Amino acid sequence: TMNFGTGTEDFDKNKWDSWYDTWIGSDPSDRYYRLIYCSGCGYFVGETGYERAEDGSALIHLLIGADNRETGYGSSGLKHIASVALENGMDTLSVRMHQSSPYFRYMKKRGFRPAGQDGEFILMKADSLEVSKGKIYEIDETCCKCRKKKENSDAAENS
């Protein structure tokens, strides 16, 4: 599995059932998790979720597969997770990332601002309503931008 901004990590198969019960079987006012699916090509392109932090904010995560980054899926996932958090009483989003994370600029462009630091980790926060309405960063969600679709189309043309 992936760890936000720091690469891959082991995910022992013996922990899968417990993880499923914790994330999928939870009340969305505490935890929420969804895969990001592209209906245009039929592929899962990433995942997003949150858990309620001690300060009442939605501590989010957002992961997009490497071959689908910079295609708008992350922004769509972020807008979705912001609207679900807002529906469940969390008007602030937060994210904790390593200070050298390449995602720092990405999150800053989408309205997140540094709110604290814990050693090598930075806590960033944003207003859930602004992010859910796309007031920070607009994307075109009307078409599939998945690179898998393009690869399949190119392969069919070359056959």
Side-chain angles (χ1 to χ4, degrees), residues 52-126:
R52 186 179 292 271
E54 288 181 20
D55 66 2
S57 68
L59 181 60
I60 68 162
H61 72 269
L62 175 68
L63 300 168
I64 302 299
D67 60 342
N68 284 302
R69 293 183 185 146
E70 299 181 14
T71 57
Y73 294 113
S75 295
S76 292
L78 187 58
K79 285 171 67 172
H80 171 74
I81 204 68
S83 66
V84 173
L86 196 58
E87 288 171 12
N88 285 286
M90 292 169 266
D91 60 1
T92 303
L93 303 177
S94 60
V95 63
R96 186 174 176 260
M97 66 179 65
H98 194 272
Q99 65 184 8
S100 65
S101 173
Y103 302 107
F104 182 80
R105 286 185 63 213
Y106 174 87
M107 298 307 280
K108 209 170 169 189
K109 281 183 176 181
R110 282 137 186 96
F112 285 77
R113 299 289 174 250
Q117 191 159 347
D118 177 18
E120 295 181 4
F121 292 91
I122 295 172
L123 179 68
M124 298 179 76
K125 293 192 175 191

Side-chain angles (χ1 to χ4, degrees), residues 121-134:
F121 292 91
I122 295 172
L123 179 68
M124 298 179 76
K125 293 192 175 191
D127 180 272
S128 297
L129 182 60
E130 285 186 5
V131 175
S132 71
K133 298 294 181 192

